Amino acid sequence: MSDIVHPWVIEYRERLKSGKLPSHSSSHNIDFATLHQLWHSQLCSRLLDLQSRLLQAKGQSFYTIGSAGHEGNAAVAAALRVTDPAFLHYRSGAFFIERSKQLPGSTPLYDMMLSFCASSDDPISGGRHKVLGSLALNIPPQTSTIASQLPKAVGAAFAIDLSKRLGLNGQWPHDAIVMCSFGDASANHSTAQGAINSVCWAAYQQVPVPILFVCEDNGLGISTPTPSGWIEQDLADRPALKYFAADCRDLAQSYHVARRAADYVRSKRKPAVLHLSTVRLFGHAGADAEAAYRTKAQIEAELELDPLLSSTAALLATGDVTAEQLLAQLNAVVAQIARVSEVASNQPKLNTAAQVMASIAPQRPMQPLPELPDVESRKQLFAFDQHNMGKKQHLAKLLNWALHDVLSQYCNTVVFGEDVGKKGGVYGVTQHLVHAFGSNRVINTLLDEQSILGMAIGLSQQGFVSIPEIQFLAYVHNAEDQIRGEAATLPFFSNGQYHNAMVIRIAGLAYQRGFGGHFHNDNSFAVFRDIPGLILLCPSNGYDAALLLRQAVQLAHQQKRLVIFLEPIALYMTRDLVTAGDGMWLCDYPSPDTPLPDFGEPAVYGDGDDLAIISYGNGYFLSRQAEQELTLTGYRLRVLDLRTLVPLHIDKIVNALRGCKNVLIVDECRRRGSLSEELFTALHEAKPGHFMVQRLCAEDSFIPLGAAAYAVLPSKLQIVQKALAMLSIQSEQVML
């Protein structure tokens, strides 16, 4: 065990011995037992941070953004219940330790040290990141440094009261409130501003959103000062948001104000913000050289504002404890943490890729599916469209029917997004849903994709299967971090303990007859293709759309998967394939008990072996048109509709190509960064030298307005010409 101690510990000992502590005064009373417990949590957090820096110097700790100066948040933890979900700022070590004291048997010092040392025994992340989190303590782990936890915290607060209105039991009890903390610099981020605006927007309309924001204001964003008074000016006058303020150096004040704020949120089911004044000690992180941007006088002055010094002075002022007793307690905790550090630093680490990746999409025990609704219930459900039942329909109509069936079967599903209610969405896909299931399950949201996706995450963590809608594919770029950085990473950084079961419906892809230009006619989904654990499904016709949507919801319900459901806008209303009025792209509606396709299995049309065309979405539609023309020339083709775009199941694709060596990939996305690149490579890797593969892709261009859009997209004519060229080469090789 190392005898090395941090200089702060030496200085603190001397202050205890000499009595060199700040004068104590507070307008709030607090009993000694509570004050002493909070001081102990603060001290443990500080010593853990300092030990982590000592371990880093020996290469045994890897992340040293600590909580020094922010330990007043222990008072916030004491004001809340252990059943209140807490989405924590990364300087919340004292909060975590204090909350642990509400759960007998907790071992926060050891757990946090395992996290610092990246041990695979770390009970929250399994060694994948230094995070503050615990399933038992209702602290979902956060890895954000830019306030991206705020939208999902708002979603969780909304979800708690929604589950009460719907009579569903979730992860958190109906009387819980959400706590979400963040720094003063992060308060300026658009993500934070959007989340605060969305909660005010909802609360202004009397929608219950019981959330307590805690802004821990230390006056610095790494090296950039926060203007004096800015946070109060920004947060104090928000509509429908109650403002509270406290100074973390005054534990009694912080505790009582936090209790008042929590009681307000819990009783009123309305949002509030606690502006907690803090200081930041020892720089932003271990590698941060404060002297490069702050004067020595500034650094020394802030050290005198250390909240632990104020807490110590408050304890001694009670007369219930002496400096000698506190010194003995300090030495005991120092020794305890040194022992814990010695043990934790020698615990196993992740060593293999398989170990690291095990939590990305863990296989979960199969849950039974809810019972299908009976015949009479479905008859009533579809009474609004009875005249169309039994007739072939286009993709949008069959998706609408599938959503009706899904919401009827799964009582924990919620559809939401902009205009999804009475309007029924821009393309009518959600028509009549609100009439059948009510405004608590079909919800119009504000125009903010970050808030929509954050709501999805919060709902999912409460136990719902979220079905958010993003109106257009290009809109998702406003909020892609909610998918990439929050939804997809949560299972990974929680060792599979937390999840985000959801189906994100996105209208997208191109071929909209020139409508909208690149922002409404986007032909690239590359943003989703490199996100570990994400599933991307894309139907091309109504029959598959219904089956794939059911599969998506089943994957979310049973395996807690994050699913993107990409709907080709140009095919929503498509009825004909070859000639006007042929109705060849209309489909029957598969009954609810129709077996689902094997996950990742492509749909195959035709059994020819002269040429196989692989595509999806609009490309599959065009390929089917081309196949009709090529068949007339005597060639025998087959056309594969991938349907599952992420991940590609190459073994199933190769099996579907059996007997066919010539392969044409038709990809409506851009040549660079498109799915065709992965597919081309994977086919050659699967069977080296076997396939003759060529690609037909869109140009590396945005989509322009009007008819010019078709100049940069694959066409039926191009598919026919490319196929004939490949078949011609094949014929020449046979003749030779």
Side-chain angles (χ1 to χ4, degrees):
M1 184 172 66
S2 173
D3 293 327
I4 299 175
V5 294
H6 193 277
W8 180 88
V9 176
I10 299 172
E11 173 70 15
Y12 184 53
R13 283 173 176 157
E14 291 303 315
R15 285 177 179 266
L16 277 172
K17 293 175 182 177
S18 65
K20 186 182 177 183
L21 295 166
S23 59
H24 170 70
S25 64
S26 178
S27 58
H28 296 77
N29 294 320
I30 186 170
D31 64 275
F32 174 77
T34 301
L35 181 61
H36 183 266
Q37 177 173 298
L38 293 175
W39 169 83
H40 179 265
S41 295
Q42 290 183 305
L43 180 65
C44 288
S45 176
R46 177 67 59 83
L47 295 177
L48 279 172
D49 282 349
L50 300 181
Q51 188 69 27
S52 178
R53 293 186 176 220
L54 295 175
L55 287 173
Q56 187 192 40
K58 298 190 294 183
Q60 295 177 331
S61 180
F62 309 97
Y63 195 90
T64 55
I65 292 182
S67 304
H70 284 243
E71 291 92 353
N73 53 40
V76 181
L80 298 170
R81 301 173 184 171
V82 73
T83 52
D84 294 330
F87 295 77
L88 297 181
H89 181 42
Y90 51 80
R91 299 192 192 277
S92 299
F95 181 103
F96 186 87
I97 294 167
E98 179 63 30
R99 171 162 285 196
S100 297
K101 293 175 179 177
Q102 298 183 39
L103 187 66
S106 297
T107 55
L109 303 187
Y110 185 55
D111 295 348
M112 291 173 69
M113 191 58 72
L114 287 171
S115 178
F116 295 169
C117 296
S119 169
S120 56
D121 287 347
D122 166 24
I124 185 60
S125 79
R128 293 171 181 85
H129 198 37
K130 181 257 186 183
V131 290
L132 295 169
S134 167
L135 186 64
L137 296 175
N138 294 294
I139 302 177
Q142 313 303 317
T143 60
S144 165
T145 58
I146 55 167
S148 59
Q149 76 271 30
L150 269 72
K152 63 182 181 182
V154 173
F158 176 81
I160 288 170
D161 275 57
L162 179 63
S163 62
K164 181 179 180 179
R165 293 195 296 275
L166 293 174
L168 301 174
N169 292 321
Q171 175 73 17
W172 304 302
H174 293 158
D175 64 348
I177 68 173
V178 171
M179 179 271 192
C180 180
S181 58
F182 53 96
D184 52 297
S186 294
N188 298 304
H189 198 279
S190 63
T191 312
Q193 293 292 316
I196 294 169
N197 177 74
S198 70
V199 82
C200 293
W201 181 86
Y204 183 79
Q205 301 173 79
Q206 305 304 314
V207 176
V209 194
I211 186 169
L212 175 61
F213 292 118
V214 178
C215 181
E216 299 185 17
D217 182 3
N218 63 30
L220 282 169
I222 305 182
S223 67
T224 303
T226 297
S228 178
W230 169 248
I231 293 299
E232 180 179 1
Q233 183 74 33
D234 183 41
L235 297 178
D237 296 318
R238 296 284 186 127
L241 183 67
K242 184 79 169 177
Y243 177 81
F244 297 85
D247 186 338
C248 79
R249 290 171 298 169
D250 187 339
L251 267 183
Q253 181 196 59
S254 297
Y255 175 64
H256 283 284
V257 173
R259 284 190 62 178
R260 288 208 323 270
D263 289 345
Y264 170 85
V265 174
R266 198 179 309 278
S267 61
K268 302 293 186 183
R269 315 308 288 174
K270 292 183 177 181
V273 60
L274 170 57
H275 179 193
L276 192 63
S277 299
T278 66
V279 294
R280 191 196 74 189
L281 305 179
F282 314 130
H284 174 69
D288 179 34
E290 275 192 296
Y293 55 87
R294 304 186 78 197
T295 67
K296 182 179 179 181
Q298 287 176 317
I299 296 171
E300 290 178 348
E302 204 147 74
L303 286 170
E304 294 301 314
L305 301 178
D306 187 338
L308 260 168
L309 300 181
S310 300
S311 301
T312 304
L315 270 177
L316 293 173
T318 66
D320 293 320
V321 69
T322 65
E324 290 75 16
Q325 289 172 321
L326 291 183
L327 182 61
Q329 292 174 33
L330 164 66
N331 291 335
V333 177
V334 168
Q336 180 186 10
I337 288 179
R339 291 193 300 270
V340 169
S341 170
E342 183 74 18
V343 174
S345 62
N346 287 295
Q347 296 312 298
K349 308 292 192 294
L350 296 171
N351 295 312
T352 68
Q355 290 175 336
V356 171
M357 297 169 64
S359 65
I360 292 175
Q363 187 68 30
R364 302 178 188 274
M366 294 295 285
Q367 296 185 35
L369 296 176
E371 293 291 330
L372 294 171
D374 57 51
V375 174
E376 185 58 34
S377 297
R378 290 193 72 244
K379 184 177 180 180
Q380 295 178 17
L381 180 64
F382 289 99
F384 74 96
D385 221 358
Q386 194 61 41
H387 62 288
N388 281 319
M389 300 302 293
K391 302 175 184 176
K392 293 179 182 293
Q393 303 293 334
H394 54 59
L395 190 154
K397 174 70 73 175
L398 296 188
L399 265 179
N400 176 259
W401 290 357
L403 283 168
H404 276 82
D405 269 330
V406 162
L407 266 68
S408 179
Q409 181 181 3
Y410 296 83
C411 64
N412 64 336
T413 48
V414 182
V415 169
F416 53 95
E418 188 192 4
D419 299 319
V420 300
K422 291 182 179 179
K423 178 178 173 62
V426 174
Y427 298 99
V429 176
T430 58
Q431 283 182 345
H432 303 287
L433 287 174
V434 71
H435 304 297
F437 299 100
S439 57
N440 282 321
R441 294 190 63 197
V442 184
I443 304 168
N444 277 338
T445 68
L446 75 173
L447 176 56
D448 179 28
E449 287 73 25
Q450 288 187 138
S451 294
I452 292 170
L453 293 173
M455 178 175 168
I457 298 172
L459 282 166
S460 298
Q461 291 188 27
Q462 175 64 348
F464 290 92
V465 173
S466 306
I467 310 180
E469 175 181 293
I470 302 297
Q471 277 192 350
F472 292 98
L473 178 56
Y475 289 7
V476 83
H477 299 301
N478 298 318
E480 62 189 56
D481 184 57
Q482 289 298 303
I483 299 174
R484 176 188 296 273
E486 295 295 336
T489 59
L490 186 60
F492 182 66
F493 286 129
S494 69
N495 206 14
Q497 298 171 81
Y498 283 94
H499 60 79
N500 290 303
M502 68 179 72
V503 179
I504 305 173
R505 292 183 46 250
I506 304 177
L509 299 176
Y511 294 98
Q512 293 184 64
R513 299 184 180 178
F515 166 73
H518 76 282
F519 209 60
H520 297 84
N521 212 3
D522 190 5
N523 67 328
S524 175
F525 53 87
V527 63
F528 304 126
R529 290 186 49 243
D530 68 342
I531 300 178
L534 178 146
I535 293 171
L536 174 58
L537 305 179
C538 179
S540 65
N541 59 82
Y543 185 86
D544 275 352
L547 293 181
L548 291 177
L549 182 65
R550 294 171 191 167
Q551 185 171 59
V553 173
Q554 183 172 316
L555 284 164
H557 172 75
Q558 291 188 320
Q559 292 300 314
K560 312 306 179 188
R561 298 299 295 271
L562 166 60
V563 185
I564 305 291
F565 195 79
L566 183 58
E567 302 167 8
I569 297 172
L571 296 177
Y572 271 146
M573 312 299 176
T574 298
R575 306 173 68 87
D576 307 320
L577 176 62
V578 181
T579 59
D582 65 24
M584 291 177 63
W585 215 248
L586 299 176
C587 298
D588 291 315
Y589 181 61
S591 62
D593 58 356
T594 302
L596 299 178
D598 288 340
F599 179 47
E601 188 79 35
V604 182
Y605 179 83
D607 58 2
D609 55 13
D610 291 332
L611 176 70
I613 303 177
I614 305 177
S615 194
Y616 60 90
N618 298 294
Y620 177 71
F621 173 77
L622 294 172
S623 297
R624 285 285 301 276
Q625 288 184 326
E627 184 272 340
Q628 294 278 319
E629 187 168 321
L630 290 164
T631 298
L632 295 176
T633 65
Y635 290 108
R636 297 177 62 253
L637 281 70
R638 74 183 73 171
V639 188
L640 275 60
D641 185 356
L642 291 173
R643 301 190 296 193
T644 301
L645 308 187
V646 178
L648 285 177
H649 289 67
I650 297 301
D651 55 337
K652 296 180 179 179
I653 296 170
V654 169
N655 186 60
L657 293 172
R658 186 178 300 160
C660 194
K661 293 187 176 182
N662 282 318
V663 177
L664 173 60
I665 302 170
V666 176
D667 194 335
E668 67 180 280
C669 292
R670 298 189 277 274
R671 178 176 296 275
R672 186 175 64 246
S674 68
L675 186 72
S676 64
E677 290 181 326
E678 178 185 356
L679 184 56
F680 189 104
T681 302
L683 288 175
H684 282 297
E685 288 178 339
K687 299 191 74 171
H690 179 78
F691 295 111
M692 299 295 295
V693 185
Q694 294 197 33
R695 295 191 297 155
L696 176 59
C697 305
E699 299 295 334
D700 288 334
S701 170
F702 298 109
I703 308 298
L705 195 64
Y710 290 91
V712 295
L713 293 168
S715 66
K716 182 199 77 170
L717 177 60
Q718 289 176 326
I719 297 171
V720 170
Q721 290 175 338
K722 190 81 169 179
L724 287 173
M726 293 179 68
L727 290 164
S728 176
I729 293 172
Q730 180 188 29
S731 298
E732 292 175 1
Q733 290 174 338
V734 171
M735 291 176 64
L736 291 173

